[in-house]
């Protein structure tokens, strides 16, 4: 399952950041940005996240996902639109096929809330890596 590899990568990255921070006894929540076109099913990711957290510093942590709608822009006419699912990549303004995807592929950790009750600690904003 694709979502399990994503969940494991998130747990690994957050656990590593918590270790670097020092003194963290538990992670309360992890907020992820998940693009509509990222190929991730949020409910399946939440299920896998709970399993991946078992026995780690993240056990019991809440996963909060923030959906990012897919958006594209037509290169010839500069029209910008929501691509939806399945994605519509042909310009609704001029019918052009030369488009740039502006948003919707995001998959990144936005912030983490540690046990100590301090403010959220943003990790480096790198996309979650996946092995294929």
């Amino acid at each position: 399952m694709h979502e399990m590899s994503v969940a494991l990568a998130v747990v690994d990255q957050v656990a590593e950041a918590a270790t670097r921070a020092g003194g963290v006894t538990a992670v309360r929540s992890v907020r992820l940005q998940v693009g509509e076109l990222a190929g991730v099913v949020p409910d399946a990711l939440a299920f896998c996240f709970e399993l991946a957290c078992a026995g780690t510093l993240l056990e019991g942590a809440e996963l909060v996902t923030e959906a990012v709608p897919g958006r594209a822009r037509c290169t010839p006419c500069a029209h910008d639109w929501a691509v939806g699912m399945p994605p519509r990549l042909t310009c609704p303004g001029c019918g052009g096929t030369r488009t740039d995807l502006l948003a919707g592929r995001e998959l990144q950790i936005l912030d983490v809330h540690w046990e100590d009750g301090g403010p959220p600690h943003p990790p480096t904003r790198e996309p979650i890596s996946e092995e294929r």
Side-chain angles (χ1 to χ4, degrees):
M1 178 183 285
H2 167 72
E3 284 77 2
M4 183 54 91
S5 65
V6 172
L8 289 168
V10 168
V11 169
D12 287 346
Q13 289 181 24
V14 171
E16 182 181 316
T19 300
R20 282 193 315 265
V24 175
T25 58
V27 174
R28 288 289 175 219
S29 66
V30 176
R31 188 166 59 108
L32 293 181
Q33 190 174 52
V34 180
E36 177 180 36
L37 307 173
V40 174
V41 177
D43 289 341
L45 179 59
F47 176 76
C48 292
F49 180 78
E50 186 176 339
L51 294 175
C53 288
T56 73
L57 191 62
L58 285 84
E59 187 161 8
E62 176 187 18
L63 177 67
V64 179
T65 56
E66 188 176 290
V68 178
R71 295 209 56 83
R73 177 176 295 127
C74 179
T75 303
C77 79
H79 181 73
D80 147 342
W81 70 97
V83 298
M85 279 305 280
R88 177 182 179 183
L89 299 176
T90 302
C91 178
C94 72
T97 58
R98 291 188 11 231
T99 59
D100 293 318
L101 195 54
L102 304 174
R105 294 182 296 191
E106 297 80 0
L107 184 56
Q108 63 185 359
I109 300 169
L110 293 178
D111 60 50
V112 176
H113 186 226
W114 306 130
E115 162 69 23
D116 64 16
H121 301 279
T124 51
R125 294 173 70 98
E126 296 177 12
I128 298 165
S129 61
E130 291 184 53
E131 293 182 16
R132 292 184 184 222

